[in-house]
mmCIF file of all heavy atoms in Angstrom:
data_model
loop_
_atom_site.group_PDB
_atom_site.id
_atom_site.type_symbol
_atom_site.label_atom_id
_atom_site.label_comp_id
_atom_site.label_asym_id
_atom_site.label_seq_id
_atom_site.Cartn_x
_atom_site.Cartn_y
_atom_site.Cartn_z
ATOM 1 N N THR A 42 -126.533 -66.991 -105.685
ATOM 2 C CA THR A 42 -125.727 -68.208 -105.603
ATOM 3 C C THR A 42 -124.905 -68.209 -104.323
ATOM 4 O O THR A 42 -124.839 -69.225 -103.618
ATOM 5 C CB THR A 42 -124.799 -68.323 -106.823
ATOM 6 O OG1 THR A 42 -125.597 -68.330 -108.002
ATOM 7 C CG2 THR A 42 -123.945 -69.571 -106.765
ATOM 8 N N LEU A 43 -124.298 -67.085 -103.999
ATOM 9 C CA LEU A 43 -123.532 -66.974 -102.762
ATOM 10 C C LEU A 43 -124.433 -67.189 -101.545
ATOM 11 O O LEU A 43 -124.055 -67.860 -100.588
ATOM 12 C CB LEU A 43 -122.834 -65.618 -102.684
ATOM 13 C CG LEU A 43 -121.747 -65.373 -103.724
ATOM 14 C CD1 LEU A 43 -121.300 -63.920 -103.690
ATOM 15 C CD2 LEU A 43 -120.577 -66.313 -103.513
ATOM 16 N N PHE A 44 -125.647 -66.623 -101.594
ATOM 17 C CA PHE A 44 -126.588 -66.801 -100.489
ATOM 18 C C PHE A 44 -126.942 -68.279 -100.310
ATOM 19 O O PHE A 44 -126.944 -68.801 -99.189
ATOM 20 C CB PHE A 44 -127.871 -65.985 -100.720
ATOM 21 C CG PHE A 44 -128.934 -66.331 -99.736
ATOM 22 C CD1 PHE A 44 -128.900 -65.803 -98.462
ATOM 23 C CD2 PHE A 44 -129.943 -67.226 -100.059
ATOM 24 C CE1 PHE A 44 -129.856 -66.148 -97.525
ATOM 25 C CE2 PHE A 44 -130.904 -67.567 -99.136
ATOM 26 C CZ PHE A 44 -130.863 -67.034 -97.868
ATOM 27 N N LEU A 45 -127.253 -68.977 -101.404
ATOM 28 C CA LEU A 45 -127.615 -70.391 -101.303
ATOM 29 C C LEU A 45 -126.446 -71.231 -100.797
ATOM 30 O O LEU A 45 -126.647 -72.179 -100.030
ATOM 31 C CB LEU A 45 -128.115 -70.909 -102.649
ATOM 32 C CG LEU A 45 -129.476 -70.363 -103.073
ATOM 33 C CD1 LEU A 45 -129.808 -70.784 -104.503
ATOM 34 C CD2 LEU A 45 -130.561 -70.804 -102.116
ATOM 35 N N GLN A 46 -125.235 -70.885 -101.190
ATOM 36 C CA GLN A 46 -124.062 -71.592 -100.667
ATOM 37 C C GLN A 46 -123.963 -71.404 -99.158
ATOM 38 O O GLN A 46 -123.687 -72.349 -98.413
ATOM 39 C CB GLN A 46 -122.785 -71.109 -101.354
ATOM 40 C CG GLN A 46 -122.671 -71.536 -102.792
ATOM 41 C CD GLN A 46 -121.493 -70.884 -103.496
ATOM 42 O OE1 GLN A 46 -120.788 -70.042 -102.951
ATOM 43 N NE2 GLN A 46 -121.286 -71.266 -104.750
ATOM 44 N N GLN A 47 -124.178 -70.177 -98.701
ATOM 45 C CA GLN A 47 -124.138 -69.899 -97.262
ATOM 46 C C GLN A 47 -125.264 -70.647 -96.549
ATOM 47 O O GLN A 47 -125.067 -71.188 -95.464
ATOM 48 C CB GLN A 47 -124.252 -68.393 -97.006
ATOM 49 C CG GLN A 47 -124.131 -68.008 -95.551
ATOM 50 C CD GLN A 47 -122.737 -68.254 -94.989
ATOM 51 O OE1 GLN A 47 -121.749 -68.172 -95.700
ATOM 52 N NE2 GLN A 47 -122.663 -68.565 -93.717
ATOM 53 N N ALA A 48 -126.442 -70.695 -97.147
ATOM 54 C CA ALA A 48 -127.577 -71.402 -96.544
ATOM 55 C C ALA A 48 -127.285 -72.891 -96.409
ATOM 56 O O ALA A 48 -127.662 -73.516 -95.412
ATOM 57 C CB ALA A 48 -128.842 -71.175 -97.369
ATOM 58 N N ARG A 49 -126.603 -73.460 -97.380
ATOM 59 C CA ARG A 49 -126.228 -74.884 -97.294
ATOM 60 C C ARG A 49 -125.199 -75.116 -96.187
ATOM 61 O O ARG A 49 -125.248 -76.109 -95.477
ATOM 62 C CB ARG A 49 -125.659 -75.358 -98.625
ATOM 63 C CG ARG A 49 -126.696 -75.616 -99.666
ATOM 64 C CD ARG A 49 -126.075 -76.257 -100.916
ATOM 65 N NE ARG A 49 -126.889 -75.923 -102.065
ATOM 66 C CZ ARG A 49 -126.600 -75.006 -102.974
ATOM 67 N NH1 ARG A 49 -125.470 -74.340 -102.902
ATOM 68 N NH2 ARG A 49 -127.411 -74.758 -103.963
ATOM 69 N N ARG A 50 -124.238 -74.170 -96.069
ATOM 70 C CA ARG A 50 -123.184 -74.330 -95.059
ATOM 71 C C ARG A 50 -123.696 -74.115 -93.644
ATOM 72 O O ARG A 50 -123.297 -74.821 -92.719
ATOM 73 C CB ARG A 50 -122.044 -73.333 -95.325
ATOM 74 C CG ARG A 50 -121.093 -73.729 -96.407
ATOM 75 C CD ARG A 50 -119.848 -72.845 -96.409
ATOM 76 N NE ARG A 50 -120.120 -71.425 -96.455
ATOM 77 C CZ ARG A 50 -120.247 -70.706 -97.572
ATOM 78 N NH1 ARG A 50 -120.145 -71.287 -98.742
ATOM 79 N NH2 ARG A 50 -120.484 -69.415 -97.511
ATOM 80 N N THR A 51 -124.543 -73.111 -93.461
ATOM 81 C CA THR A 51 -124.974 -72.727 -92.107
ATOM 82 C C THR A 51 -126.484 -72.486 -92.059
ATOM 83 O O THR A 51 -126.934 -71.361 -91.825
ATOM 84 C CB THR A 51 -124.237 -71.457 -91.649
ATOM 85 O OG1 THR A 51 -124.536 -70.402 -92.569
ATOM 86 C CG2 THR A 51 -122.736 -71.663 -91.567
ATOM 87 N N PRO A 52 -127.297 -73.533 -92.260
ATOM 88 C CA PRO A 52 -128.748 -73.331 -92.321
ATOM 89 C C PRO A 52 -129.360 -72.806 -91.025
ATOM 90 O O PRO A 52 -130.408 -72.170 -91.056
ATOM 91 C CB PRO A 52 -129.290 -74.717 -92.660
ATOM 92 C CG PRO A 52 -128.233 -75.667 -92.228
ATOM 93 C CD PRO A 52 -126.930 -74.935 -92.403
ATOM 94 N N HIS A 53 -128.709 -73.037 -89.895
ATOM 95 C CA HIS A 53 -129.273 -72.619 -88.606
ATOM 96 C C HIS A 53 -128.716 -71.290 -88.105
ATOM 97 O O HIS A 53 -129.140 -70.796 -87.064
ATOM 98 C CB HIS A 53 -129.052 -73.712 -87.554
ATOM 99 C CG HIS A 53 -129.648 -75.023 -87.968
ATOM 100 N ND1 HIS A 53 -131.006 -75.216 -88.084
ATOM 101 C CD2 HIS A 53 -129.074 -76.194 -88.333
ATOM 102 C CE1 HIS A 53 -131.246 -76.454 -88.484
ATOM 103 N NE2 HIS A 53 -130.095 -77.066 -88.649
ATOM 104 N N ALA A 54 -127.797 -70.701 -88.863
ATOM 105 C CA ALA A 54 -127.221 -69.403 -88.463
ATOM 106 C C ALA A 54 -128.195 -68.271 -88.794
ATOM 107 O O ALA A 54 -128.965 -68.354 -89.747
ATOM 108 C CB ALA A 54 -125.895 -69.179 -89.183
ATOM 109 N N ALA A 55 -128.135 -67.199 -88.023
ATOM 110 C CA ALA A 55 -129.004 -66.048 -88.247
ATOM 111 C C ALA A 55 -128.579 -65.310 -89.513
ATOM 112 O O ALA A 55 -127.424 -64.925 -89.659
ATOM 113 C CB ALA A 55 -128.959 -65.109 -87.058
ATOM 114 N N ALA A 56 -129.528 -65.130 -90.418
ATOM 115 C CA ALA A 56 -129.292 -64.376 -91.646
ATOM 116 C C ALA A 56 -129.839 -62.961 -91.523
ATOM 117 O O ALA A 56 -129.294 -62.031 -92.099
ATOM 118 C CB ALA A 56 -129.946 -65.078 -92.834
ATOM 119 N N LEU A 57 -130.920 -62.809 -90.768
ATOM 120 C CA LEU A 57 -131.568 -61.504 -90.586
ATOM 121 C C LEU A 57 -131.943 -61.310 -89.128
ATOM 122 O O LEU A 57 -132.286 -62.263 -88.443
ATOM 123 C CB LEU A 57 -132.878 -61.434 -91.386
ATOM 124 C CG LEU A 57 -132.815 -61.460 -92.885
ATOM 125 C CD1 LEU A 57 -134.230 -61.523 -93.449
ATOM 126 C CD2 LEU A 57 -132.104 -60.237 -93.412
ATOM 127 N N LEU A 58 -131.872 -60.087 -88.677
ATOM 128 C CA LEU A 58 -132.417 -59.707 -87.377
ATOM 129 C C LEU A 58 -133.509 -58.688 -87.639
ATOM 130 O O LEU A 58 -133.259 -57.651 -88.245
ATOM 131 C CB LEU A 58 -131.338 -59.115 -86.473
ATOM 132 C CG LEU A 58 -130.261 -60.077 -85.997
ATOM 133 C CD1 LEU A 58 -129.216 -59.333 -85.172
ATOM 134 C CD2 LEU A 58 -130.869 -61.196 -85.179
ATOM 135 N N LEU A 59 -134.716 -59.018 -87.218
ATOM 136 C CA LEU A 59 -135.869 -58.165 -87.466
ATOM 137 C C LEU A 59 -136.488 -57.730 -86.149
ATOM 138 O O LEU A 59 -136.379 -58.446 -85.145
ATOM 139 C CB LEU A 59 -136.923 -58.938 -88.269
ATOM 140 C CG LEU A 59 -136.468 -59.510 -89.601
ATOM 141 C CD1 LEU A 59 -137.543 -60.421 -90.177
ATOM 142 C CD2 LEU A 59 -136.171 -58.391 -90.575
ATOM 143 N N PRO A 60 -137.173 -56.584 -86.153
ATOM 144 C CA PRO A 60 -137.899 -56.196 -84.935
ATOM 145 C C PRO A 60 -138.915 -57.279 -84.589
ATOM 146 O O PRO A 60 -139.561 -57.837 -85.466
ATOM 147 C CB PRO A 60 -138.599 -54.894 -85.334
ATOM 148 C CG PRO A 60 -137.873 -54.405 -86.527
ATOM 149 C CD PRO A 60 -137.316 -55.607 -87.223
#
Side-chain angles (χ1 to χ4, degrees):
T42 302
L43 294 170
F44 170 80
L45 290 172
Q46 290 172 356
Q47 184 67 31
R49 283 187 207 103
R50 281 192 307 270
T51 60
H53 303 293
L57 294 174
L58 292 177
L59 303 171

